[in-house]
Amino acid sequence: MKLLKTLLSAALMLCMLLSLVPAAYAEDDPRFAGKSWDEVVADFNTRLGIGEHSAAYGYRNAVTGEEHYFNPDQYMVSASMYKVPLNMAVAEKVYEGEISFETLIGGLTYRQLQEGSIIHSDNEYARVLWNYVGYGSYRSYRRYIAPLMGEDADTVDPQYYVNNFFTPRQMIHCLTELYDNQERYPGVIDCMKRAEPTEYFRRSERRYEIAHKYGYWEDQTLHMNDCAIVYTDEPILIVCFTDGLHNAYQVLAEFCTLMCDYAQYELDHRQPAEGAAELALRDLKLPRLIAQAEPGLSVPEPTPTAAPTLTPEAAAPAVAVSPLVWIGIALLFGLLFVFSAFGRRKLRRKRLLASVLSLLLALGTGGIAVMDLSPAAHGGLVPAMSVSTVLPFLGHPDPQESVMSFFDALELDNYEQFYAMLDGYSSLGLEAQPDDLLGAMTFNALRSSYSYHLEGESRVVGDRGEQDVYLRSLSIPALEQALRERAETELARLGNERTYRELCDEEGFYRPEIVQEAIDSAASDVFSRASEYYADHSFTLQLIYSDGWFVRGDEALVDAVQGN
C-alpha cells in the first residue's frame, strides 16, 4: 500500500499578488517617491506652466483598475479623438455580423473608411461613418455612442450634445471598453497602433508600443489632444486635453512619458497585498500517513466483540488459565495424595505431610476451576492470577515483552517485525518514503522522533491484554504550522529585498522560484529544531493473543505513530 503521497509540488505554485515590474525602476525616483498621482500631476502642471482649466487628464491602469483624473468632468473639445468611439460603433456591427469590412458605406468599404478615419484622421471619411450610424443626424449619432462613453443618452449633461465635447472620464471609459472587449471592435486598436508614429504621445516615447488617436483643432484657440493605450508592463489608458496652450506638443509628449514612468514606478514599488503570503502558502501540506488495512493480512483481524475493560489497579502481571487446566491440576494433586497416603509402606511423618499438602492443593485448584466456570468469572469479577503465582506453561505469557519488541522494532525501523505484530493493519506507511525533498525530510524527522516507555505492568484476562504506554513522536501538524509561519516571514523579507517583477509573474502570482526559496529557507530552520515539535502520547495499548501477542491498531496508537 502506498501511504505517503507527495502533496507539495503542485501546491507551491498557487498564490496571489499583482503583476511584474521592470528592474530598471527599482530605485526611488524623486518625481514619484512619497507622492500621490495628484501631487505628481500638480508638479507637472507647475513645471510646464499649465493653468487650472487649460488642461484635463485621465489615467487608468488596465490591470489593477487604478484610476486618476485632473478635471475629470470638464467638457473639452475632443477634435479627432471622437473617431475612436465612432469606429467602435461601426466595428461592433462587423462583430455582430450585420456588415463586413467589405461592405460599402457611402461608396467605400468599411475597411477603407476605418483606416482613413483613424490612421489618416480623414474628416470626410468620419462624416460618412457618423451619418451611417446616426442616419444623417449628428445628435442621433451622439446618442448612439453615449453608452460607449459611459453615459445614458437621456440623462447625460446637455453639453454633451452641444459640440464635439468629451470629458476625460468619458474618454477613459471608452478606452476601457475598447481594451477590455477588443474582440467586439475589430481593427480599431490595430489602426490606432499605425496612426501618427512620431507626434503627440509618440513624439518622444519610444520604449513602449502605443495605440493612440490624436486630435488637433484650431479656430481662435488651439485644441491639441491625444488618447491612448500604452503597453507598459501593465498597460495603461491615458487621455490629455489641452486648451490654448502654446506648448501643447511638449505637454502631450511629456505627459505620456510621465504616465509611463509613473506606472512602472508604482508597479516596481507595489507592496505585496495583506495576507498575500498566507494565500501563497495556503495549500502547503506536509505528508500525512494514511491508515488503511489491505486484504490478505498476515495477522488475523480483530474479533467484533470488545475486549473486557481492565482496571489499571490490577495486580502483578497475570495470565488466564483455562478451567480444564485447573481441573487437571486438581486431579494431579489428588493422585499424589492417594499415592502418598495409601502406598504399600507404612504411613510415615513425611508422607503424612506430603499427603496433606497434596490434598490442600487439590482442593484449592479444584475450587479455582469451579470459580472460573461460574458466571461470575465470565463477568470479569474474579481477578486474574498473577504470572508469579503459576507456572508459565499453565497460561499465556506476559505480553510486556511483546510490547517492548513491538516498539523496539518501530524505533529501529524494523517494519517487517513491527507489522507482523500489528493486528488490523498491513501497513501504516512508515516504509514508503516520499519522492519530494520536503516530504522526505518530514518522513525522516518522524521516523527519528520515536521513543517510548511502559507504565506499570501488563494486565491479562483470557486472551486479552493491556499495557499502559507513553510514546513520543513528531507532530506533523505542529511542524507544518511552524513551517508555514516561517515561510510567510521569509516571503515578507523577500518582498522588502526584491523588486515586484522579481517577485511576481505576468499573471500576478508569486513566481514559483520565489515561493520555493522561501520554503527552502523556512525548512532549513524548522527541521533543524524538529524536536521542538515532538508530542507526547499516553494511552492504553490493547493486545490480543493468538499463538502469540498481537497489538491492536486502535486510533490512539495509529495517530501517535503517524504523527497526527
Side-chain angles (χ1 to χ4, degrees), residues 119-137:
I119 299 174
H120 306 296
S121 203
D122 190 295
N123 291 326
E124 289 306 314
Y125 283 15
R127 183 183 296 274
V128 171
L129 290 176
W130 65 252
N131 277 322
Y132 169 69
V133 171
Y135 300 100
S137 167

Side-chain angles (χ1 to χ4, degrees), residues 80-340:
S80 289
M81 286 199 301
Y82 79 89
K83 294 164 184 173
V84 173
L86 171 60
N87 272 280
M88 289 171 64
V90 181
E92 190 171 26
K93 294 180 180 295
V94 176
Y95 173 79
E96 296 291 350
E98 297 179 30
I99 64 172
S100 74
F101 278 109
E102 306 310 316
T103 298
L104 293 177
I105 303 174
L108 297 170
T109 66
Y110 174 53
R111 189 182 306 280
Q112 292 174 312
L113 293 170
Q114 185 187 72
E115 292 179 350
S117 60
I118 297 178
I119 299 174
H120 306 296
S121 203
D122 190 295
N123 291 326
E124 289 306 314
Y125 283 15
R127 183 183 296 274
V128 171
L129 290 176
W130 65 252
N131 277 322
Y132 169 69
V133 171
Y135 300 100
S137 167
Y138 180 79
R139 184 179 179 86
S140 295
Y141 140 69
R142 295 285 286 192
R143 287 182 62 85
Y144 191 92
I145 67 170
L148 296 174
M149 312 310 294
E151 301 289 358
D152 184 318
D154 295 323
T155 60
V156 67
D157 189 314
Q159 194 170 3
Y160 172 80
Y161 293 110
V162 172
N163 203 331
N164 184 23
F165 289 141
F166 289 129
T167 70
R169 197 187 305 276
Q170 290 169 348
M171 284 306 305
I172 290 296
H173 185 279
C174 177
L175 291 175
T176 301
E177 171 64 22
L178 176 60
Y179 180 83
D180 289 347
N181 303 288
Q182 41 198 288
E183 73 282 354
R184 295 191 65 85
Y185 312 106
V188 175
I189 290 180
D190 180 63
C191 287
M192 291 172 67
K193 289 179 178 179
R194 296 160 59 193
E196 189 53 72
T198 61
E199 293 296 340
Y200 305 95
F201 281 166
R202 299 178 71 169
R203 187 174 194 179
S204 57
E205 184 53 66
R206 299 288 188 268
R207 295 171 296 173
Y208 309 106
E209 185 177 33
I210 298 176
H212 73 141
K213 183 67 198 86
Y214 53 88
Y216 182 101
W217 178 258
E218 187 173 13
D219 42 25
Q220 297 178 347
T221 302
L222 174 63
H223 307 280
M224 190 178 294
N225 318 310
D226 206 350
C227 65
I229 302 168
V230 185
Y231 292 88
T232 49
D233 288 346
E234 289 180 342
I236 57 173
L237 317 175
I238 57 175
V239 60
C240 176
F241 292 88
T242 70
D243 187 352
L245 293 179
H246 69 281
N247 58 345
Y249 266 121
Q250 179 186 8
V251 170
L252 288 172
E254 293 196 17
F255 177 77
C256 180
T257 295
L258 181 70
M259 292 299 98
C260 291
D261 290 351
Y262 171 82
Q264 297 296 94
Y265 181 89
E266 286 297 302
L267 181 60
D268 190 55
H269 288 75
R270 188 178 299 144
Q271 293 297 313
E274 184 178 355
E278 181 179 352
L279 287 171
L281 299 165
R282 66 187 175 205
D283 293 321
L284 173 59
K285 292 287 187 296
L286 296 180
R288 290 291 189 272
L289 302 173
I290 305 171
Q292 180 180 344
E294 290 190 335
L297 296 177
S298 58
V299 181
E301 293 284 351
T303 57
T305 56
T309 302
L310 306 182
T311 60
E313 295 79 11
V319 296
V321 182
S322 169
L324 295 177
V325 175
W326 292 118
I327 293 173
I329 294 173
L331 292 174
L332 176 63
F333 284 120
L335 289 173
L336 288 175
F337 167 74
V338 170
F339 282 110
S340 298

Side-chain angles (χ1 to χ4, degrees), residues 508-541:
F509 299 120
Y510 269 120
R511 294 182 182 277
E513 61 268 24
I514 292 295
V515 178
Q516 190 62 57
E517 183 177 347
I519 290 288
D520 290 345
S521 178
S524 177
D525 173 55
V526 171
F527 280 98
S528 68
R529 45 189 178 87
S531 60
E532 296 180 15
Y533 311 106
Y534 288 0
D536 296 328
H537 308 270
S538 181
F539 52 89
T540 299
L541 198 68

Side-chain angles (χ1 to χ4, degrees), residues 445-512:
L446 174 65
R447 294 203 300 188
S448 63
S449 68
Y450 299 121
S451 63
Y452 78 97
H453 71 259
L454 308 185
E455 300 280 354
E457 297 182 334
S458 58
R459 302 173 296 280
V460 174
V461 169
D463 60 353
R464 308 289 171 149
E466 288 184 350
Q467 173 67 59
D468 294 328
V469 176
Y470 166 93
L471 178 64
R472 173 170 291 178
S473 63
L474 175 70
S475 170
I476 294 180
L479 183 73
E480 179 181 287
Q481 180 62 27
L483 181 62
R484 184 187 303 278
E485 292 174 356
R486 188 73 181 88
E488 288 176 357
T489 300
E490 283 300 301
L491 279 178
R493 179 184 65 79
L494 292 173
N496 292 327
E497 294 179 356
R498 310 284 176 86
T499 66
Y500 192 77
R501 187 168 70 175
E502 290 174 318
L503 289 172
C504 303
D505 62 20
E506 63 277 3
E507 299 298 327
F509 299 120
Y510 269 120
R511 294 182 182 277

